[in-house]
Amino acid sequence: MALTVFAPAPDAALANRRRPWWVRNLPIVLGGALLLAALLVALLAPWLGTIDPTALSPIRRLRPPSEQFWFGTDQLGRDLYSRVIYGARASLFVGFAVAVFAVLSGLFFGLVSGFNRIFDAVLMRVMDGLMSIPSVLLAIALMALTRASLGNVIVAIAVAEVPRVTRLVRSVVLGLREQPFIEAAIASGTSAPRILLRHVLPNTIAPLLVQATYICASAIITEAILSFIGAGLPPSIPTWGNIIADGRAVFQIRPQLILIPAAFLSVTVLAINLLGDGLRDALDPRLARQM
């Protein structure tokens, strides 16, 4: 009787490590490639745009796509292709600026709040109050109190995102505050700022990096909503939200005036979310062990 020998199954973790890096981190590669393409479009808009996006020409209004006007023209005769290309600049700038502003502000408040109990009791109540208001409604209310400008839009959107970053950093600090190496640093007389910068801050980089991608994607959508309802950037600045708002009146005869900028908006947000999901899987050791 022949003896059957069963070979042991290969270790899943070892097999995963043997795969190419781009296969193991496909969301990062795909999202990063799409986001890089959007950034290049935004940076090269003066060279990619064929016509001034703000140039008005009533004689060429609502023209269909052609060799001269690749995406057609809107009801004011403006070239839709150039407006969409230039709209990437404003939308991406708002997204990145809001992410940087919210992360830096939330990082400061979260570090101080998690390490100082007295400051924590006051600040967290303020953050709870801000989080109780939907982010879009809070941004609309803040924009109603100010004039339409790029800086005011960035601040209005970022204010709603700061409490989320603050709570994230605070949770990391609270988890580290009771660790033996933090207690040893306190016992040795190390100052609080030095402990925060040397021992606590490095542990917040990974979750903040992931959170920044989600904030950027959310800010781009919120900016489009504000521009769509007329509470965002001035109509003279081409953004995807402004372009969609201008095209809704003629959607039945020229649907591309809404569908094309909406497609650019969706792909950009999808790319940022894919990048964030990939970074979360790669930087979180618990998810890495599960995978």
Side-chain angles (χ1 to χ4, degrees):
M1 181 178 180
L3 179 63
T4 304
V5 179
F6 295 95
D11 183 68
L14 180 60
N16 182 58
R17 286 194 297 269
R18 287 178 176 176
R19 292 188 299 173
W21 180 89
W22 65 272
V23 175
R24 289 183 282 115
N25 299 275
L26 189 59
I28 296 179
V29 175
L30 183 58
L34 291 175
L35 182 58
L36 179 61
L39 288 174
L40 290 176
V41 168
L43 293 175
L44 300 177
W47 295 272
L48 295 177
T50 56
I51 302 175
D52 182 4
T54 60
L56 305 179
S57 179
I59 62 175
R60 64 187 189 197
R61 60 190 303 269
L62 296 178
R63 289 190 178 180
S66 62
E67 293 183 0
Q68 183 181 5
F69 306 106
W70 293 359
F71 295 163
T73 60
D74 62 7
Q75 60 270 36
L76 297 178
R78 295 171 296 189
D79 181 34
L80 180 61
Y81 166 75
S82 297
R83 287 180 60 78
V84 170
I85 295 299
Y86 275 88
R89 309 185 84 182
S91 298
L92 287 174
F93 181 79
V94 169
F96 286 119
V98 168
V100 172
F101 183 90
V103 166
L104 293 180
S105 302
L107 176 62
F108 172 76
F109 292 132
L111 289 175
V112 177
S113 176
F115 213 77
N116 189 305
R117 298 180 186 274
I118 298 177
F119 190 75
D120 177 62
V122 178
L123 181 63
M124 283 301 101
R125 303 295 75 79
V126 177
M127 296 300 170
D128 290 341
L130 290 176
M131 291 186 66
S132 65
I133 307 174
S135 58
V136 176
L137 293 181
L138 181 59
I140 294 174
L142 293 176
M143 288 303 300
L145 300 176
T146 59
R147 63 184 182 87
S149 67
L150 183 61
N152 290 337
V153 168
I154 293 173
V155 173
I157 299 175
V159 166
E161 300 293 344
V162 170
R164 296 169 176 81
V165 181
T166 301
R167 283 200 163 275
L168 174 64
V169 177
R170 175 179 176 269
S171 65
V172 175
V173 175
L174 291 178
L176 294 173
R177 193 173 60 184
E178 309 299 332
Q179 294 296 320
F181 67 93
I182 297 294
E183 295 179 350
I186 296 175
S188 64
T190 307
S191 62
R194 184 175 178 84
I195 293 175
L196 290 175
L197 293 177
R198 184 174 181 179
H199 299 290
V200 178
L201 182 60
N203 290 280
T204 64
I205 294 178
L208 279 179
L209 188 60
V210 176
Q211 185 68 19
T213 59
Y214 298 139
I215 292 176
C216 181
S218 176
I220 292 176
I221 295 177
T222 304
E223 184 278 325
I225 294 174
L226 293 177
S227 298
F228 182 79
I229 63 177
L233 294 176
S236 59
I237 300 177
T239 68
W240 290 331
N242 281 336
I243 299 172
I244 294 174
D246 292 338
R248 59 185 170 181
V250 291
F251 174 73
Q252 293 184 345
I253 59 176
R254 289 291 183 266
Q256 72 269 16
L257 296 180
I258 289 182
L259 298 181
I260 292 178
F264 274 79
L265 175 65
S266 302
V267 171
T268 303
V269 173
L270 174 63
I272 298 175
N273 284 330
L274 282 176
L275 183 61
D277 290 340
L279 290 175
R280 181 199 60 191
D281 297 341
L283 298 177
D284 193 335
R286 292 172 299 180
L287 290 177
R289 285 195 297 267
Q290 294 175 4
M291 293 176 62

